[in-house]
Amino acid sequence: MKVRSSLKSLKTRHRDCKIVRRKGVVFVINKTDPRFKAKQG
């Protein structure tokens, strides 16, 4: 999982990417292609 300062650019890389917020931490999750996983915060 990558840790990035900006997740908006990562969201546009794959059409199945979703931005989720859990306990103040922002995640990019992707069920079909897990190599796009990232987190911020």
Side-chain angles (χ1 to χ4, degrees):
M1 182 179 294
K2 301 179 190 78
V3 178
R4 295 290 168 100
S5 57
S6 176
L7 295 183
K8 189 174 267 191
S9 59
L10 291 178
K11 184 182 182 294
T12 59
R13 286 177 62 192
H14 195 277
R15 59 188 171 86
D16 290 341
C17 286
K18 295 182 178 67
I19 290 192
V20 178
R21 185 172 199 138
R22 295 177 188 157
K23 299 177 183 171
V25 181
V26 185
F27 292 92
V28 172
I29 57 173
N30 190 338
K31 296 274 198 218
T32 57
D33 204 347
R35 67 197 170 106
F36 290 109
K37 284 197 302 189
K39 78 175 192 175
Q40 173 184 359

